[in-house]
């Protein structure tokens, strides 16, 4: 029961008790007053009648007549005359009728009608006593009217008091509602400040305290956020040229050329600068470094007009430039210019005639389905040709993988059949909680099966994207999961959403429809790739709200610390972030503080870190030493 | 049981006084030693009267209180009509006809005269041509009463008081007992007479 209800109930009972007590006291007073008046009336009658009776000098017939005259003219229940020996001389009785009073009232209220008495004398001698008892029907009628008026008055007072009471309570406790909302938000790791400081001292102190706590958590998050932004530079940037490094290129390549990439092809350029060591000796480090920076700037200029292009320094003398979605021919001239500018630079350098300074450029095109290793290998080959020929070498992909392995129609038929005949199966992989030694959740993987073959997600996602089946496949898989709820374990399940599904405009409505049809009976987490979240924050936020409103959770996977600002974590509010073991190990190796920065930030908003692709115990030990206990990857099968 | 009650009565009579010591001290404090002495004298008189004949008791009590000076309520108590307690009456040494009647009734009750034999009788004094009150003693309700009057030091039978015309007799004790009997013991309102009820309350709290 809320505090408002408790206080309101208590005060209502108190008010009712007070009003009832006052009503009872008032009614009792009125009853007493009516009885007093009845007594006084009877007493007056008794005294005056006794004086009159004295004049009868003991004549009973005269006295009876006098009594009759009085009895008939007034409201009396009884007039009784007794002699000194208490023997009745004369009596008149009547029973009053309570016509205007309900029976329950006369039964409930016992009116003690007082009897007044007076001595009757004849000359000097007392001859008897006269008793007069008033009629109670009049008293009952008056009391009933008083009770009715009292009840109406008190009902009105009660109503007005309750309205005032509830209004006052509502106003007084209004800040408490805001405090409660703030507290609930804090429990959900949402740290909101309350700007309206209540006037009530106790509430004001609580709000100030919570605001301070929120500020501190905010500070902690911001410190982690800044440290992470710095770590990003240390981790992914070449300190001299400010270009990205090999790690960054390795990280991004699968995203940009993998099966789920939005680009179907692209161009990879490998550039090797020769003669740098000799230049160092001739020009000195500073000038050589300046030259290197200048050449880097030239490379960046070439890539400026290509979205998602990456320029990275792979090692001391070699650079790589990735142009997603760009053909070789469209960049060929740029690199020809670049090549010639380098030759010009050599000519401008004093005492460099004997130095073999220059660049070798290997350019290769790639298609979507080629593996990262294959593209890198082909690029290396192109560069080696360029080195041997001392020119720009263009190595077009001989074996074009433009067409899908099975052909579009075959895949279309496969997908259609699978959607129609329940051809998609769900496979589950454990996420292990090493601290509590138990499976924490299960990751869902979608598998396509036909009569003869089984296709993994990685195998069928590219044709699915190309043929526009991704959304249907996800909805199908989710429906299948919901239909399996009776056979599922009491554990959290998580499904990774592909970039194609997330960025598909129809996904929101498809999910909405699915959630409406299937009430939440499964503990399910939807995983969003980190780079997709960064690039499509508004879309992801919309989906996250929809998912959470329907009782499911959101997490972030492929977290690689590539953002400059992690406030999106507060906006998305994932239950966890999943990061590849290689990234986490990189943080650990770099410095203890690098991982700590991430942990400080995630702890401050109640987000746990899950290490993915953990392969061996050495990696696990390292993670455990640094406080990361939730893992997934090949090792889980060995230890769980 | 009767023996025990008799012993208790004897003990009370032997050792109690009409006006007890604490009240005497209060009277002395408020009205001075002379007032106190009047009550001491009353106590002594009452003790002397114990066991004496009815005639002696009536005469002595009548005479004792008739020594108090007459004073109208408006002058003594600043109200038009007031029934004073015997303590107020003797302390102030002043009072009107009702006060004499009350004091005499109180003293005679102390001496053991039954309540039903004494009445407060409202009379008209033909001598003063004014309403008046006397205490009447009835040997029985049908017998001729004796009149204890503050305007007459001697007690006379009613027939020898032609200057008084009886109007109304009043005895609260009798009314109360009769009323109790006639309501079969369910008497919830013990009130009988306004002035009498006020007087009883004042006597109970020893108003001086």
């Amino acid at each position: 029961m809320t505090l408002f209800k408790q206080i309101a109930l208590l005060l209502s009972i108190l008010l009712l008790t007070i009003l009832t007590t006052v009503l009872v006291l008032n009614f009792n007073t009125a009853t007493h007053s009516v009885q007093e008046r009845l007594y006084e009336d009877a007493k007056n009658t008794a005294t005056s009648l006794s004086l009159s009776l004295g004049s009868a000098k003991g004549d009973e017939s005269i006295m009876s007549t006098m009594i009759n005259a009085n009895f008939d003219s007034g409201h009396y229940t009884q007039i009784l005359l007794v002699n000194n020996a208490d023997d009745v001389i004369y009596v008149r009785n009547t029973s009053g009728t309570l016509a205007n009073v309900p029976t329950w009232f006369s039964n409930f209220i016992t009116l003690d009608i007082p009897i007044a008495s007076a001595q009757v004398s004849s000359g000097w001698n007392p001859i008897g006593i006269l008793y007069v008892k008033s009629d109670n029907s009049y008293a009952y009628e008056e009391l009933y009217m008083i009770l009715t008026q009292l009840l109406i008055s008190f009902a009105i007072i009660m109503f007005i008091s309750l309205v005032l009471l509830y209004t006052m309570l509502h106003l007084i406790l209004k800040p408490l509602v805001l405090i409660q909302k703030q507290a609930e938000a804090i429990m959900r790791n949402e740290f909101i400040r309350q700007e309206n400081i209540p006037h009530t001292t106790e509430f004001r102190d609580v709000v100030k305290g919570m605001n301070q706590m929120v500020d501190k958590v905010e500070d902690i998050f911001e410190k982690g956020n800044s440290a992470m932004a710095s770590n990003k530079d240390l981790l992914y940037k070449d300190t001299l040229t400010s270009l990205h490094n090999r790690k960054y290129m390795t990280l991004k390549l699968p995203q940009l050329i993998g099966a789920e990439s939005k680009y179907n092809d692209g161009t990879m350029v490998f550039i090797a600068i020769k003669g740098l060591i000799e230049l160092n000796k001739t020009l000195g480090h500073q000038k050589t470094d300046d030259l290197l920076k200048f050449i880097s700037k030239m490379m960046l200029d070439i890539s400026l007009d290509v979205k998602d292009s990456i320029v990275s320094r792979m090692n001391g003398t070699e650079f790589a430039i990735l142009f997603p979605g760009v053909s070789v021919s469209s960049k060929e001239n740029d690199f020809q210019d670049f090549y010639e500018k380098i030759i010009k630079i050599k000519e401008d350098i004093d005492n460099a005639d004997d130095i073999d300074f220059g660049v070798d450029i290997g350019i290769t095109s790639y298609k979507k389905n080629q593996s990262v290793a294959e593209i890198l290998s082909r690029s290396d080959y192109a560069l080696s040709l360029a080195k041997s020929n001392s020119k720009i070498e263009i190595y077009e992909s001989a074996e074009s993988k433009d067409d899908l392995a099975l052909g579009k129609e075959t895949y279309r038929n496969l997908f259609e059949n699978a959607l129609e005949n329940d051809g998609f199966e769900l496979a589950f992989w454990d996420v292990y909680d090493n601290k509590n030694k138990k499976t924490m959740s299960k990751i869902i993987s979608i598998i396509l099966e036909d009569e003869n073959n089984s296709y993994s997600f990685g195998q069928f996602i590219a044709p699915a994207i190309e043929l526009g089946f991704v959304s249907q496949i996800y909805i199908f898989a989710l429906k299948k999961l919901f239909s399996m709820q009776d056979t599922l374990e009491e554990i959290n399940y998580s499904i990774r959403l592909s970039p194609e599904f997330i960025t598909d405009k129809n996904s929101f409505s498809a999910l909405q429809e699915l959630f409406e049809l299937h009430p939440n009976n499964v503990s399910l987490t939807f995983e969003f790739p980190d780079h997709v979240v960064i690039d499509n924050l508004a879309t992801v936020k919309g989906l996250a709200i929809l998912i959470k409103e329907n009782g499911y959770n959101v997490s972030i996977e492929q977290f690689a610390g590539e953002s400059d600002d992690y406030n999106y974590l507060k906006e998305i509010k994932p239950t966890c972030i999943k990061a590849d073991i290689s990234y986490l190990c990189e943080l650990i190796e770099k410095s203890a503080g690098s991982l700590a920065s991430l942990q400080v930030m995630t702890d401050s908003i109640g987000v746990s870190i899950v290490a993915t692709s953990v392969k061996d115990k050495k990696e696990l030990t390292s993670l455990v030493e640094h406080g990361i206990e939730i893992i997934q990857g090949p090792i889980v099968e060995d230890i769980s | 049981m009767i023996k025990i009650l008799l012993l208790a009565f004897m003990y009370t009579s032997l050792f109690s006084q009409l006006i007890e010591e604490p009240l005497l001290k209060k009277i002395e404090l408020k009205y001075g030693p002379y007032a106190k002495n009047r009550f001491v004298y009353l106590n002594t008189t009452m003790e002397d009267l114990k066991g004496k004949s009815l005639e002696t008791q009536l005469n002595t009590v009548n005479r004792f209180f008739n020594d108090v000076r007459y004073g109208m309520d408006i002058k003594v108590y600043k109200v038009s009509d007031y029934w004073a307690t015997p303590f107020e009456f003797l302390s102030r040494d002043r009072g009107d006809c009702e006060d004499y009647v009350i004091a005499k009734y109180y003293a005679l009750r102390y001496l053991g005269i039954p309540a039903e034999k004494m009445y407060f009788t409202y009379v008209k004094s033909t001598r003063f041509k004014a309403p008046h009150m006397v205490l009447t003693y009835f040997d029985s309700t049908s017998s001729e009463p004796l009149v204890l009057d503050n305007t007459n030091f001697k007690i006379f039978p009613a027939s020898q008081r032609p200057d008084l015309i009886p109007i109304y007799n009043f005895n609260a004790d009798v009314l109360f007992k009769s009323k109790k009997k006639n309501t079969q013991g369910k008497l919830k309102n013990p009130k009988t007479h306004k002035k009498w009820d006020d007087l009883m309350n004042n006597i109970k709290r020893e108003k001086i």
Side-chain angles (χ1 to χ4, degrees):
Chain A
M1 195 184 277
T2 63
L3 183 63
F4 178 87
K5 282 182 184 169
Q6 285 181 48
I7 296 174
L9 186 67
L10 190 72
L11 291 178
S12 301
I13 291 170
L14 194 67
L15 187 67
L16 191 66
T17 309
I18 291 169
L19 285 177
T20 308
T21 308
V22 173
L23 188 140
V24 170
L25 288 175
N26 266 341
F27 186 72
N28 283 344
T29 307
T31 307
H32 182 70
S33 170
V34 167
Q35 282 177 320
E36 280 290 301
R37 212 170 68 235
L38 284 175
Y39 172 74
E40 292 301 330
D41 291 347
K43 181 68 189 170
N44 290 340
T45 302
T47 306
S48 57
L49 185 56
S50 68
L51 284 167
S52 302
L53 293 174
S55 64
K57 298 189 184 302
D59 186 326
E60 289 188 11
S61 59
I62 295 175
M63 290 196 290
S64 302
T65 306
M66 288 178 170
I67 289 170
N68 284 343
N70 258 277
F71 190 84
D72 293 342
S73 65
H75 294 88
Y76 305 104
T77 304
Q78 186 186 60
I79 297 183
L80 168 68
L81 178 64
V82 296
N83 63 19
N84 291 323
D86 274 333
D87 297 326
V88 176
I89 296 173
Y90 189 71
V91 64
R92 281 292 304 271
N93 284 308
T94 188
S95 54
T97 50
L98 303 174
N100 300 322
V101 176
T103 316
W104 66 263
F105 182 74
S106 54
N107 291 338
F108 184 66
I109 306 295
T110 308
L111 259 185
D112 176 35
I113 306 299
I115 301 168
S117 59
Q119 259 123 1
V120 181
S121 302
S122 175
W124 285 98
N125 291 77
I127 59 168
I129 297 173
L130 181 74
Y131 294 96
V132 178
K133 187 178 183 183
S134 293
D135 184 9
N136 63 357
S137 59
Y138 176 72
Y140 271 112
E141 282 173 16
E142 192 165 333
L143 282 176
Y144 182 66
M145 192 181 70
I146 290 171
L147 181 67
T148 311
Q149 287 174 347
L150 279 173
L151 282 173
I152 292 169
S153 307
F154 280 101
I156 293 168
I157 293 170
M158 184 79 182
F159 176 76
I160 294 169
S161 305
L162 282 178
V163 169
L164 284 174
L165 175 76
Y166 280 77
T167 310
M168 291 296 289
L169 260 184
H170 183 75
L171 287 174
I172 292 168
L173 295 181
K174 199 178 172 185
L176 202 57
V177 177
L178 298 174
I179 291 170
Q180 188 188 10
K181 280 183 183 170
Q182 192 181 18
E184 283 172 353
I186 288 171
M187 282 192 283
R188 292 194 305 270
N189 295 305
E190 293 169 23
F191 297 95
I192 51 168
R193 280 192 110 261
Q194 200 180 132
E195 300 303 336
N196 294 328
I197 306 295
H199 297 295
T200 312
T201 313
E202 292 84 353
F203 292 158
R204 188 175 58 219
D205 292 347
V206 172
V207 169
K208 280 183 175 176
M210 290 210 292
N211 277 351
Q212 273 186 10
M213 190 184 75
V214 168
D215 290 344
K216 281 179 185 172
V217 173
E218 199 70 29
D219 279 351
I220 291 169
F221 180 86
E222 281 309 318
K223 279 175 187 167
N225 191 9
S226 323
M228 281 294 292
S230 307
N231 279 347
K232 179 196 163 193
D233 287 347
L234 289 172
L235 202 60
Y236 293 127
K237 285 278 174 81
D238 176 63
T239 48
L240 176 66
T241 60
S242 295
L243 296 175
H244 290 295
N245 59 15
R246 171 184 280 275
K247 282 192 195 75
Y248 188 75
M249 180 62 90
T250 314
L251 171 78
K252 296 300 283 184
L253 273 174
Q255 294 170 15
L256 293 169
I257 65 175
E260 294 180 273
S261 170
K262 59 186 173 186
Y263 302 107
N264 289 322
D265 53 19
T267 299
M268 173 68 99
V269 181
F270 269 23
I271 299 167
I273 301 174
K274 52 190 179 185
L276 277 179
I277 298 167
E278 292 79 1
L279 271 181
N280 249 337
K281 287 175 185 170
T282 310
L283 299 175
H285 285 292
Q286 187 60 49
K287 283 189 175 174
T288 310
D289 287 348
D290 290 344
L291 179 63
L292 212 49
K293 284 179 192 173
F294 182 74
I295 295 171
S296 300
K297 175 76 172 49
M298 288 166 66
M299 289 186 222
L300 271 177
D301 290 342
I302 296 171
S303 69
L304 277 180
D305 60 340
V306 181
K307 190 169 181 275
D308 292 333
S309 62
I310 300 169
V311 182
S312 67
R313 187 180 182 188
M314 306 297 275
N315 57 41
T317 56
E318 290 185 348
F319 297 80
I321 307 174
L322 182 74
F323 297 103
V326 171
S327 64
V328 172
S329 57
S330 65
K331 279 291 163 190
E332 197 177 342
N333 289 337
D334 289 340
F335 281 98
Q336 194 61 50
D337 288 347
F338 173 74
Y339 187 81
E340 284 164 10
K341 278 178 186 170
I342 296 294
I343 293 169
K344 184 78 172 57
I345 287 168
K346 185 191 171 186
E347 288 169 5
D348 292 343
I349 299 170
D350 296 335
N351 305 320
D353 296 340
D354 299 334
I355 299 170
D356 183 20
F357 172 72
V359 289
D360 295 318
I361 302 172
I363 302 173
T364 185
S365 62
Y366 64 84
K367 297 290 179 188
K368 186 172 190 172
N369 291 329
Q370 286 177 277
S371 70
V372 172
E374 191 183 348
I375 293 166
L376 291 177
S377 164
R378 287 172 55 78
S379 300
D380 267 338
Y381 181 68
L383 183 62
S384 62
L385 284 179
K387 281 178 179 174
S388 59
N389 298 329
S390 292
K391 64 165 188 169
I392 299 174
E393 190 67 43
I394 296 169
Y395 183 60
E396 287 283 3
S397 179
E399 40 182 301
S400 169
K401 292 196 175 180
D402 189 28
D403 295 325
L404 299 171
L406 296 176
K408 282 182 183 177
E409 283 313 305
T410 312
Y411 271 115
R412 188 186 301 281
N413 290 336
L414 255 179
F415 292 141
E416 283 173 353
N417 279 335
L419 290 168
E420 201 171 320
N421 302 312
D422 193 17
F424 287 103
E425 295 298 330
L426 303 180
F428 302 99
W429 308 97
D430 288 353
V431 177
Y432 188 70
D433 181 352
N434 187 60
K435 190 175 184 179
N436 297 308
K437 307 293 178 200
K438 64 173 186 182
T439 302
M440 193 185 134
S441 66
K442 283 183 183 290
I443 307 161
I444 301 163
S445 178
I446 306 168
I447 296 168
L448 169 62
E449 288 190 340
D450 69 355
E451 288 171 1
N452 305 316
N453 296 303
S454 178
Y455 303 91
S456 71
F457 183 83
Q459 287 173 303
F460 73 74
I461 189 64
I465 291 169
E466 192 167 339
L467 296 170
F469 277 95
V470 175
S471 186
Q472 289 178 69
I473 292 169
Y474 266 106
I475 297 301
F476 185 90
L478 287 167
K479 279 182 183 171
K480 184 155 189 151
L481 180 76
F482 292 144
S483 69
M484 291 164 64
Q485 57 178 285
D486 294 335
T487 55
L488 294 174
E489 293 176 43
E490 289 286 323
I491 203 167
N492 179 262
Y493 288 83
S494 56
I495 186 162
R496 177 187 173 278
L497 299 178
S498 79
E500 181 72 16
F501 181 80
I502 294 166
T503 52
D504 185 344
K505 285 176 184 173
N506 298 319
S507 296
F508 187 92
S509 54
L511 276 180
Q512 201 171 30
E513 194 180 329
L514 178 74
F515 292 152
E516 281 170 11
L517 289 171
H518 298 273
N520 178 4
N521 289 315
V522 180
S523 175
L524 182 62
T525 300
F526 290 84
E527 296 183 351
F528 291 81
D530 189 43
H531 64 94
V532 180
V533 175
I534 295 166
D535 293 342
N536 306 277
L537 188 55
T539 308
V540 173
K541 267 168 72 177
L543 284 170
I545 290 167
L546 173 71
I547 289 165
K548 286 181 180 178
E549 276 178 352
N550 285 280
Y552 303 104
N553 294 317
V554 168
S555 70
I556 287 176
E557 56 117 25
Q558 292 183 41
F559 183 86
E562 50 184 313
S563 177
D564 294 322
D565 183 1
Y566 294 90
N567 273 299
Y568 68 89
L569 291 178
K570 286 201 288 188
E571 295 179 54
I572 303 295
K573 297 174 208 91
T575 51
C576 69
I577 57 169
K578 291 185 173 181
D580 194 89
I581 181 69
S582 60
Y583 168 69
L584 294 172
C585 285
E586 197 69 46
L587 288 181
I588 292 167
E589 283 165 19
K590 192 153 278 297
S591 74
S594 300
L595 181 61
S597 301
L598 175 64
Q599 286 170 319
V600 161
M601 192 175 67
T602 53
D603 285 350
S604 71
I605 52 171
V607 175
S608 55
I609 300 171
V610 178
T612 61
S613 308
V614 183
K615 295 178 287 297
D616 53 45
K617 288 206 170 182
K618 188 185 168 192
E619 288 173 343
L620 176 62
T621 308
S622 176
L623 288 169
V624 169
E625 279 173 5
H626 291 85
I628 297 172
E629 298 272 11
I630 305 168
I631 52 165
Q632 68 181 63
I635 193 174
V636 172
E637 275 187 39
D638 299 336
I639 59 172
S640 62
Chain B
M1 185 68 181
I2 294 167
K3 282 181 181 175
I4 295 169
L5 287 172
L6 193 63
L7 281 169
F9 175 74
M10 284 171 67
Y11 177 85
T12 310
S13 300
L14 281 171
F15 296 103
S16 68
Q17 298 180 95
L18 179 60
I19 310 299
E20 298 287 347
E21 194 59 36
L23 184 56
L24 284 174
K25 283 183 181 171
K26 285 186 198 170
I27 290 164
E28 185 180 17
L29 200 66
K30 186 169 180 181
Y31 295 101
Y34 293 114
K36 180 195 170 186
N37 288 343
R38 284 195 289 277
F39 283 95
V40 172
Y41 179 49
L42 173 65
N43 275 346
T44 312
T45 306
M46 289 297 107
E47 295 314 306
D48 288 347
L49 281 175
K50 280 181 181 171
K52 297 286 172 60
S53 69
L54 175 70
E55 192 183 347
T56 310
Q57 288 179 333
L58 289 173
N59 279 320
T60 310
V61 167
N62 188 48
R63 203 166 41 246
F64 181 90
F65 285 107
N66 282 356
D67 280 341
V68 176
R69 285 171 293 168
Y70 182 83
M72 291 175 75
D73 286 338
I74 196 70
K75 286 187 178 172
V76 182
Y77 298 102
K78 313 295 180 201
V79 290
S80 60
D81 187 33
Y82 178 70
W83 286 21
T85 64
F87 323 123
E88 291 173 297
F89 176 58
L90 203 56
S91 296
R92 294 168 189 257
D93 199 22
R94 269 178 199 279
D96 67 357
C97 56
E98 293 98 344
D99 304 337
Y100 290 94
V101 171
I102 294 160
K104 288 170 190 174
Y105 180 84
Y106 185 73
L108 292 170
R109 287 285 293 120
Y110 176 76
L111 292 171
I113 294 175
E116 59 271 23
K117 290 194 172 188
M118 295 183 284
Y119 279 82
F120 288 28
T121 305
Y122 290 79
V123 295
K124 179 194 173 187
S125 170
T126 54
R127 185 152 53 116
F128 297 109
K129 291 181 182 169
H132 185 43
M133 183 184 274
V134 294
L135 183 67
T136 47
Y137 172 82
F138 291 84
D139 207 30
S140 73
T141 48
S142 57
S143 62
E144 185 184 11
L146 295 171
V147 179
L148 285 73
D149 184 3
N150 64 302
T151 62
N152 200 330
F153 276 74
K154 216 177 163 197
I155 298 173
F156 289 105
S159 59
Q160 293 177 34
R161 293 299 305 270
D163 60 320
L164 300 176
I165 300 170
I167 305 295
Y168 180 66
N169 279 322
F170 164 71
N171 185 317
D173 285 332
V174 173
L175 276 180
F176 183 74
K177 281 176 189 168
S178 175
K179 195 173 170 184
K180 197 169 182 181
K181 189 181 169 189
N182 281 285
T183 51
Q184 288 85 38
K186 292 177 182 174
L187 184 65
K188 286 185 180 173
N189 193 334
K191 291 193 288 190
T192 53
H193 184 282
K194 188 175 180 303
K195 290 280 183 188
W196 176 262
D197 296 336
D198 292 344
L199 176 69
M200 283 302 107
N201 280 333
N202 289 339
I203 289 176
K204 198 175 175 183
R205 62 189 183 93
E206 297 182 335
K207 188 179 180 191
I208 54 172

